[in-house]
Amino acid sequence: MDPTLNPYSPGAGLRPPDLAGREREIAEFAVLRQRVAHGLTSRGIVMSGLRGVGKTVLLNELAAQALRDGWIVGKVEADRGESRRVFREQVAGTLHRALREATGSFELGARLRRALGTFKAFSLRTDPTGGLAIGIEIDAERGRGDTGALETDLTDLALDLSAAAVDHGVGVALFVDELQDLSRAELGALCQACHEAGQVGAQFYLVGAGLPSLPGLLADARSYAERLFDYWSIGALVDQAATDALVRPARAGGVDWASAAAELLVHRSAGYPYFLQEFGKATWNFAPGPHITLADAETGVHVGMASLDRGFFTSRWERATPSERDYMRAMSVDGDSPSQSGEVARRLAKRISSVGPTRAGLIHKGLVYAPEHGVIAFTVPGMADFIARQPAE
Ligand SMILES: Nc1ncnc2c1ncn2[C@@H]1O[C@H](COP(=O)(O)OP(=O)(O)OP(=O)(O)O)[C@@H](O)[C@H]1O
Ligand SMILES: [Mg+2]
């Protein structure tokens, strides 16, 4: 069928035509925003899950909803690259945009002036050459947001921004994707800002997303973090939602899936959103139409799987050094289930301490993560099967 009308969107952060199976999360965030309108506080949100389960698209959806409600919304993606952008700079940049919008729609009362002054002080400390211009003349607020210690300055900013927002019945939300890539100090600073805001009833919320190691990293940064946030585990879609994700976008274009065809994709993707999109796209492009049959779906899964093997899995495999590949091969004995690090070392006939650097290298590359102490798992489903299909080296 016409590829220019193909409704599926395999990729990173590409909004699917139908954001299926996330109704509960969306409703919870709506409750949080309504509570803010009633002057009631809630906990911030931390979502975690494997690569490709749909954290980014959900985060973006929540951010869009907060924006529609008139919230002050910042959004950044934590950066772990070589030329790493400092988190403080990223926060200043995104809030700068948010505040320019707020000054357009909010009345410039005393609290907003103070918030702008604190923001200016915060950004001057980030970029001493002048800070970021808001578009109106505001003096930097002395002694607010300008100590240079991120936890203190972020707290000042959170308090003053939310004081300005509350005049308008809204809150302030900072959305951070790939949150696990922040340093321990940066995570601690975020926790502290949320903690202090919560204590005085300020409406400042972190909405973060990251890999399954994230809750542990936060708890390590601040021991109270486990009570500070609502933790959402984002996983594969249940069968009905996975079926909806396939069937609804096609039906909107007048195309029906035979139920056995949809069932096959749901089964072969195990409800994993990225694979659903990949298989859905391949099936659509192959199917002669006007509707999608079981035979089309069989070919679609086959073609989609080959495309994952060439791109998604191979790029991960090739990023690993030979010893890292050996390590992953030893893990793959356990399938997609987590492995005990000690057992993996035993399979390699090595001491745990001597494979430590290999394990750390794999974690750093984002290929594996430690769900708990002494345990190791792949960050994407299907990796173990892929490894089993690779010739021994
Ligand atoms: N609820 C959903 N229904 C249907 N498709 C979805 C859903 N959520 C995500 N997808 C699709 O799954 C793919 C992965 O989504 P996304 O990039 O948000 O995942 P992620 O969890 O952020 O991955 P990563 O950890 O690699 O950043 C995209 O192609 C997206 O369109
Ligand atoms: Mg993402």
Side-chain angles (χ1 to χ4, degrees):
M1 292 187 293
D2 186 351
T4 65
L5 297 177
N6 193 318
Y8 303 102
S9 58
L14 287 184
R15 196 188 194 295
D18 205 292
L19 188 62
R22 305 299 185 213
E23 296 79 9
R24 190 182 61 78
E25 287 81 4
I26 287 172
E28 273 191 36
F29 189 58
V31 168
L32 182 150
R33 298 196 312 282
Q34 280 160 21
R35 287 176 55 83
V36 168
H38 294 143
L40 298 168
T41 50
S42 307
R43 295 195 279 203
I45 296 164
V46 170
M47 45 179 113
S48 57
L50 295 180
R51 294 251 165 249
V53 288
K55 302 177 296 295
T56 298
V57 297
L58 181 56
L59 197 73
N60 288 342
E61 175 63 25
L62 301 185
Q65 293 187 356
L67 261 183
R68 274 203 291 279
D69 281 1
W71 278 47
I72 297 179
V73 174
K75 184 169 176 289
V76 301
E77 179 179 317
D79 188 354
R80 72 181 306 171
E82 296 288 300
S83 54
R84 186 173 191 277
R85 276 192 73 198
V86 180
F87 181 58
R88 184 181 178 115
E89 258 173 48
Q90 291 187 298
V91 171
T94 186
L95 290 179
H96 178 231
R97 263 190 303 280
L99 284 171
R100 284 186 79 103
E101 276 162 32
T103 50
S105 55
F106 288 12
E107 201 185 315
L108 192 59
R111 285 179 174 168
L112 182 55
R113 276 191 170 277
R114 180 173 164 93
L116 292 173
T118 304
F119 173 75
K120 185 157 187 182
F122 181 89
S123 72
L124 272 173
R125 187 77 206 200
T126 309
D127 169 18
T129 57
L132 296 160
I134 305 284
I136 46 174
E137 271 310 310
I138 290 282
D139 291 330
E141 192 79 22
R142 284 242 172 132
R144 296 293 287 169
D146 60 0
T147 66
L150 184 63
E151 64 271 25
T152 313
D153 296 353
L154 202 55
T155 301
D156 287 348
L157 197 54
L159 294 179
D160 292 354
L161 288 179
S162 45
V166 99
D167 282 347
H168 301 264
V170 296
V172 180
L174 183 60
F175 291 81
V176 186
D177 203 0
E178 304 289 353
L179 189 54
Q180 78 282 340
D181 285 343
L182 290 188
S183 69
R184 186 166 185 262
E186 289 163 341
L187 288 176
L190 267 177
C191 289
Q192 191 165 328
C194 293
H195 193 208
E196 296 202 21
Q199 289 172 46
V200 296
Q203 303 284 13
F204 173 80
Y205 296 98
L206 170 70
V207 185
L211 290 176
S213 53
L214 181 55
L217 293 172
L218 284 165
D220 185 50
R222 287 289 187 280
S223 56
Y224 54 74
E226 58 197 40
R227 283 164 289 132
L228 193 57
F229 303 110
D230 277 337
Y231 289 91
W232 296 353
S233 165
I234 306 296
L237 300 175
V238 296
D239 285 0
Q240 184 57 52
T243 309
D244 289 346
L246 281 175
V247 169
R248 283 203 213 138
R251 191 166 294 150
V255 173
D256 283 326
W257 283 75
S259 49
E263 270 166 35
L264 180 76
L265 263 77
V266 169
H267 173 66
R268 293 300 301 279
S269 66
Y272 179 53
Y274 174 60
F275 292 178
L276 271 174
Q277 298 295 334
E278 193 75 73
F279 297 169
K281 178 180 170 190
T283 303
W284 175 286
N285 284 350
F286 170 78
H291 297 296
I292 295 173
T293 65
L294 177 59
D296 300 335
E298 279 164 352
T299 307
V301 168
H302 188 75
V303 171
M305 195 55 106
S307 138
L308 289 176
D309 271 8
R310 277 194 313 276
F312 183 72
F313 289 121
T314 298
S315 69
R316 307 188 137 256
W317 190 236
E318 288 181 345
R319 255 188 293 156
T321 63
S323 60
E324 288 169 352
R325 288 185 200 168
D326 288 344
Y327 192 94
M328 287 197 286
R329 211 183 273 281
M331 286 172 64
S332 72
V333 173
D334 298 308
D336 277 344
S337 310
S339 308
Q340 300 291 328
S341 307
E343 178 59 21
V344 175
R346 202 189 56 73
R347 286 174 195 156
L348 292 165
K350 298 225 165 100
R351 274 211 303 268
I352 287 203
S353 56
S354 72
V355 290
T358 309
R359 182 177 183 275
L362 284 167
I363 291 177
H364 183 73
K365 289 177 181 168
L367 299 177
V368 308
Y369 75 102
E372 53 190 286
H373 189 70
V375 177
I376 194 83
F378 292 114
T379 50
V380 297
M383 191 71 196
D385 277 352
F386 168 79
I387 293 172
R389 291 194 293 275
Q390 301 312 299
E393 287 169 11

